[in-house]
């Protein structure tokens, strides 16, 4: 364990660092701050109220410590700063009490209200701050202080012997980039903001350069590879399609044709199927799997969650089993004996279609003749995983399904190694989801409409954000909301909560009770985003909506309106309402995501948490899009010049392709 080398890190804190996905020195030094605290002592006489400022002061009175609740305390005392004697209050710092003696010099950060002569501090440090100081702030979790992360990173920078620089020398010269080691140093302990900008630009560029190098490399490889051309009886397929419970939409038909053409051709299919939530991608996948079956091959479909895998399993089995196709499911929570049976049957070729979760990737899962690999919710599986499942077959065809309607501009970069099919229109009969942006103060009216829906026998989703713990914001959380809703409905409505930290079994039971209609309101973190299908749910309420990207909100909204009932979406937020109002005016996922993209807003809550293609350590696809475009161009040229033979590039490229 490399982390053991770091000063001050014991087994306990190593566990915490691991939770932040930090396992070695490299991870540490590339764990970038998400913002900086800038401390610069000011004269209180000259500051604006309501902005956070830093002052130096001397303690004038012994602090008074009072407990408001068991976990909530307050320190108050007077200090002298310049020529002002002011009242200071700070909450939940009882532990500072014994250090704050009269006459001590301290530095305070907080907000000053002149009329009350009161300073509410958010931070107190012992000693005067002599000159401006910039402090990096890192995403953290409970039990790990920012200063511990800072120190660990500093030590890692000292101990790390080799920092590999991936920007080719010519490009480094062209852009006047500094050495990587210097940038890393600066980003973690900068002297001024200009320095930060330069270092950041360089690190973002490098991150995008590597990313685009991988994408471009995959694209090139994919072009070279021949797959198998598959032969199936068109009549049988036609019969199947004609006997579906519904008629395909034009977009579905087109997407299906594109997939079938790819199956027939001897080129290896590498296709991204993008379609809004509820646009009907599954049927396109199902037809493709049926065609693949008719040509004598096995198929597999991987979903990101068990709930979703089961849903697909039920749908696909219903559609295909009467046509002689054997469909099975493989998920982590199955019994050992069951698992063994499935794996054996798969190997013998007695299973035609295997649906599952990540469990499919396991080494013991061996197909007899795998011809088609489908991955659902593609953006959750990163570029580094694109290769994983296809390994199990001999040049199988690949379809990725994504419910995130990615703007074309994005798609052209991050998915440019693939062909794309888009399903833009939804099946007929779907109503638009009526959407309203509401202030927190208007909650009452929302509760009223919820109750109306419940009285009609319908169900409700409530979504609250869940984020890494920070002390910075007041956010709604599921537990709190449950209590508030219970009170509001006088305990008469069945309410349950669901969040990502629950055990699979527990989640499933909760989901089942909701599906059966026993639970009326499900209060969840964004775990419900992914493909859950409860037709009776007609209302979704999203708290702290400002924290989500519009594309994410749109996906969440897609949990309702899954049949012909009138459906509603309430976005509760006191901030950023202009952006949110786009949701009121449009139900078109492609339009919405394009708008979101154009606004170039900062880190979407989802983006920062989910693993997958959208996650960069320092780059932000929206804000830094121009850098991405440049990196795309540069990496293409670099690749075409045959420069990637160097070992360091070979290493990263090998990790993404198992093709050679
Ligand atoms: P998604 O693109 O989100 O995966 P699904 O494939 O789950 O969408 O389809 C959503 C719902 O629409 C399903 O219940 C499906 O049976 C239904 N559906 C799909 N295509 C059509 C169609 N052409 N006409 C009517 N209903 C359809
Ligand atoms: Mg789906």
């Amino acid at each position: 364990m490399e982390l053991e080398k770091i000063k001050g890190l014991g087994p306990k804190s190593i566990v915490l660092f691991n939770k932040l996905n930090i396992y070695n020195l490299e991870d540490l030094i590339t764990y970038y701050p998400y913002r900086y605290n800038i401390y610069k002592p000011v004269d209180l006489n000259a500051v604006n109220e309501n902005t956070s400022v830093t002052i130096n002061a001397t303690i004038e009175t012994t602090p008074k410590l009072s407990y408001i609740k068991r976990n909530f305390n307050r320190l108050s005392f007077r200090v002298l700063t310049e020529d002002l004697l002011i009242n200071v209050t700070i909450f939940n710092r009882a532990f500072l009490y014994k250090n704050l003696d009269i006459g001590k010099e301290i530095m305070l950060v907080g907000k000053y209200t002149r009329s009350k002569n009161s300073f509410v501090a958010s931070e107190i440090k012992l000693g005067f701050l002599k000159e401006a100081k910039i402090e990096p702030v890192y995403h953290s979790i409970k039990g790990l202080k920012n200063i511990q992360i800072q120190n660990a990173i500093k030590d890692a920078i000292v101990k790390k012997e080799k920092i590999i620089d991936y920007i080719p020398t010519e490009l480094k010269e062209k852009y006047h980039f500094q050495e990587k080691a210097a940038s890393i140093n600066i980003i973690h302990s900068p002297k001024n903001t200009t320095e930060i900008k330069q270092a950041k630009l360089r690190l973002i560029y490098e991150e995008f350069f590597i990313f685009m190098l991988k994408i471009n490399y995959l694209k090139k490889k994919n072009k070279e590879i021949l797959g198998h051309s598959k032969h199936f009886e068109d009549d049988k397929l036609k019969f199947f399609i004609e006997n579906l419970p519904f008629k395909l939409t034009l977009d579905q038909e087109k997407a299906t044709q594109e997939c079938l053409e790819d199956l027939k051709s001897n080129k290896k299919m590498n296709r991204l199927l993008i379609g809004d939530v509820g646009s009907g991608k599954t049927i396109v996948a199902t037809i493709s799997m049926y065609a693949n079956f008719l040509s004598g091959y096995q198929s597999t479909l991987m979903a990101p969650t068990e709930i979703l895998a089961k849903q697909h399993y039920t749908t696909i089995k219903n559609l295909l089993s009467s046509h002689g196709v054997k469909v099975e499911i493989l998920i982590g929570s199955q019994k050992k004996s069951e698992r063994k049976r499935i794996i054996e049957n798969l190997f013998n070729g007695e299973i035609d279609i295997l649906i599952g979760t990540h469990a499919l990737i396991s080494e013991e899962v061996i197909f007899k003749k795998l011809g088609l690999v489908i991955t659902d919710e593609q953006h959750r599986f990163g570029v580094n995983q694109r290769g994983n499942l296809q390994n199990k077959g001999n040049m199988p065809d690949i379809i990725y399904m994504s419910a995130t309607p990615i703007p074309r501009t994005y798609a052209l970069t991050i998915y440019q190694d693939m062909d794309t099919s888009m399903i833009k229109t939804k099946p007929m009969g779907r109503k638009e989801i009526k959407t309203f942006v509401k202030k927190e103060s208007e909650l009452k009216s929302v509760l009223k409409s919820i109750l109306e829906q419940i009285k009609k026998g319908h169900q409700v989703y409530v979504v609250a954000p869940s984020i890494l713990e920070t002390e910075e914001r007041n956010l709604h959380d599921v537990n709190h909301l449950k209590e508030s809703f219970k009170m509001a409905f006088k305990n008469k409505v069945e309410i349950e909560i669901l969040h990502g930290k629950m055990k699979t079994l527990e989640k499933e039971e909760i989901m089942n009770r909701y599906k059966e209609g026993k639970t009326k309101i499900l209060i969840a973190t964004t775990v419900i985003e992914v493909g859950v299908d409860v037709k009776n749910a007609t209302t979704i309420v999203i708290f702290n909506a400002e924290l989500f990207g519009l594309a994410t909100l749109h996906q969440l909204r897609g949990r309702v309106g899954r049949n012909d009932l009138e459906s509603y979406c309430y976005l509760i937020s006191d901030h950023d309402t202009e952006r949110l109002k786009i949701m009121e005016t449009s139900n078109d996922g492609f339009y919405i995501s394009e708008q979101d993209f154009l606004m170039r807003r900062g880190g979407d809550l989802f983006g920062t948490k989910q693993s997958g293609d959208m996650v960069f350590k320092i780059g932000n696809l929206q804000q830094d899009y121009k850098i991405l475009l440049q990196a795309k161009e540069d990496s293409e040229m670099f690749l075409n010049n045959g420069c990637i033979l160097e070992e360091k590039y070979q290493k990263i490229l090998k990790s993404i392709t198992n093709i050679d």
Side-chain angles (χ1 to χ4, degrees), residues 300-301 309 312-313 316 327-330 353-357 360:
T300 185
L301 190 159
H312 279 317
Y313 172 65
I316 292 166
V327 186
E328 276 290 355
I329 181 167
L330 188 76
I353 295 179
L354 185 61
I355 292 162
T357 54
L360 293 170

Side-chain angles (χ1 to χ4, degrees), residues 91-314:
F91 293 99
N92 288 334
R93 296 294 198 289
F95 56 88
L96 285 176
Y97 179 69
K98 52 183 187 306
N99 291 318
L100 301 175
D101 305 319
I102 294 178
K104 273 235 168 113
E105 295 178 340
I106 56 172
M107 177 203 92
L108 299 145
V109 182
K111 287 180 186 166
Y112 180 56
T113 313
R114 202 160 276 129
S115 60
K116 293 187 195 150
N117 193 31
S118 113
F119 190 94
V120 179
S122 55
E123 212 180 319
I124 292 182
K125 282 189 178 155
L126 298 178
F128 277 170
L129 180 71
K130 296 274 161 20
E131 55 192 30
K133 201 182 115 192
I134 302 181
E135 181 190 60
V137 185
Y138 301 91
H139 279 301
S140 187
I141 46 168
K142 215 177 188 153
L144 204 54
K145 291 211 189 80
N146 194 51
I147 183 79
Q148 286 174 285
I149 301 180
Q150 274 181 49
N151 288 339
I153 291 174
K154 278 192 187 139
D155 199 40
I157 290 177
V158 175
K159 293 196 169 128
K160 175 108 176 116
E161 278 145 26
K162 209 169 85 199
I163 293 178
I164 303 176
D165 191 337
Y166 291 100
I167 307 183
T169 318
E170 317 82 70
L171 290 169
K172 230 170 4 197
E173 280 168 9
K174 180 176 165 198
Y175 299 123
H176 305 288
F177 282 145
Q178 59 202 153
E179 291 301 314
K180 184 170 184 179
S183 303
I184 297 241
N185 227 331
I186 288 167
I187 212 89
H188 295 294
S189 32
K191 291 198 190 61
N192 56 54
T193 47
T194 324
E195 234 186 35
I196 299 176
K197 265 194 205 133
Q198 278 174 0
K200 225 177 137 178
L201 175 65
R202 188 235 184 269
L203 293 170
I204 292 170
Y205 177 86
E206 181 177 26
E207 187 168 40
F208 284 161
F209 181 82
I210 296 169
F211 179 76
M212 287 312 308
L213 192 65
K214 287 180 184 173
I215 296 277
N216 285 321
Y217 182 74
L218 281 177
K219 181 180 171 190
K220 203 169 154 195
K221 279 276 158 197
N222 287 337
K223 269 198 192 146
E224 289 165 9
I225 307 166
L226 286 187
H228 304 275
S229 71
K230 294 178 178 149
H231 308 281
F232 44 87
E233 281 177 53
D234 283 329
D235 283 352
K236 275 193 177 161
L237 204 63
K238 217 170 139 205
F239 178 78
F240 175 69
I241 295 174
E242 274 165 9
N243 284 288
L244 284 173
F246 44 74
K247 192 173 174 315
L248 294 185
T249 62
L250 283 178
D251 285 349
Q252 281 174 324
E253 229 167 76
K254 183 155 177 277
T256 304
Q257 277 318 315
E258 286 166 344
C259 291
L260 296 180
E261 286 305 317
D262 281 359
L263 283 174
K264 281 182 193 162
S265 100
N266 66 351
K267 167 178 159 280
K268 183 170 161 327
M269 161 152 62
N270 191 40
R271 184 166 289 281
L272 177 66
L273 178 59
I274 312 182
D276 215 340
V277 185
S279 61
K281 295 179 293 296
T282 315
I283 194 65
V284 177
T286 310
I287 296 170
S288 305
M289 287 194 281
Y290 183 53
N292 185 58
F293 159 82
L294 290 176
S295 48
Y297 287 88
Q298 291 170 305
S299 311
T300 185
L301 190 159
M302 180 162 76
T305 63
E306 294 206 351
I307 293 176
L308 200 54
K310 283 187 183 165
Q311 213 165 271
H312 279 317
Y313 172 65
T314 315

Side-chain angles (χ1 to χ4, degrees), residues 348-508:
N348 296 335
E350 280 160 45
I351 293 173
D352 303 310
I353 295 179
L354 185 61
I355 292 162
T357 54
H358 269 93
L360 293 170
I361 293 176
S362 154
E363 257 175 44
E364 11 158 53
V365 179
I366 303 168
F367 291 81
K368 186 172 184 212
K369 200 178 175 195
L370 180 61
L372 176 62
V373 173
I374 303 181
T375 322
D376 192 8
E377 300 294 343
Q378 132 74 16
H379 68 287
R380 273 146 213 279
F381 306 103
V383 60
N384 297 319
Q385 288 174 41
R386 279 185 199 167
N388 276 338
L389 249 187
Q390 46 180 304
N391 248 356
K392 295 186 179 287
N394 175 17
M395 302 298 154
D397 288 309
I398 315 278
I399 298 174
Y400 301 96
M401 297 200 280
S402 172
T404 313
I406 311 153
R408 262 188 70 74
T409 25
Y410 259 162
L412 284 177
T413 49
I414 60 175
Y415 293 126
Q416 74 155 345
D417 58 317
M418 299 179 214
D419 299 313
T420 46
S421 296
M422 293 199 183
I423 306 185
K424 291 201 164 185
T425 49
K426 283 194 195 180
M428 302 282 267
R430 292 286 162 73
K431 283 199 175 155
E432 300 232 313
I433 300 158
K434 293 201 168 137
T435 304
F436 307 93
V437 180
K438 295 276 183 191
K439 291 219 161 25
E440 297 264 351
S441 57
E442 297 171 293
L443 207 56
K444 240 192 176 151
S445 68
V446 177
L447 289 175
K448 231 174 103 186
S449 1
I450 290 182
L451 199 58
E452 261 167 40
Q453 289 297 312
I454 291 174
K455 278 187 181 156
K456 283 187 185 161
H458 302 153
Q459 287 162 283
V460 176
Y461 289 109
V462 173
V463 177
S466 80
I467 50 162
L468 293 173
E469 266 178 71
T470 65
E471 290 167 4
E472 283 176 46
R473 286 196 255 223
N474 272 327
L475 298 178
H476 287 281
D477 70 81
V478 288
N479 291 305
H480 250 105
L481 280 174
K482 186 179 175 191
E483 293 312 310
S484 321
F485 272 80
K486 265 176 142 174
M487 284 228 290
F489 297 125
K490 306 201 174 68
N491 277 327
K492 285 192 178 137
V493 174
E494 297 301 316
I495 305 175
E496 289 211 79
I497 56 180
L498 179 76
H499 59 76
K501 292 215 177 89
M502 290 173 160
K503 295 247 161 65
T504 311
L505 195 67
E506 196 183 356
K507 277 196 270 196
E508 227 164 73

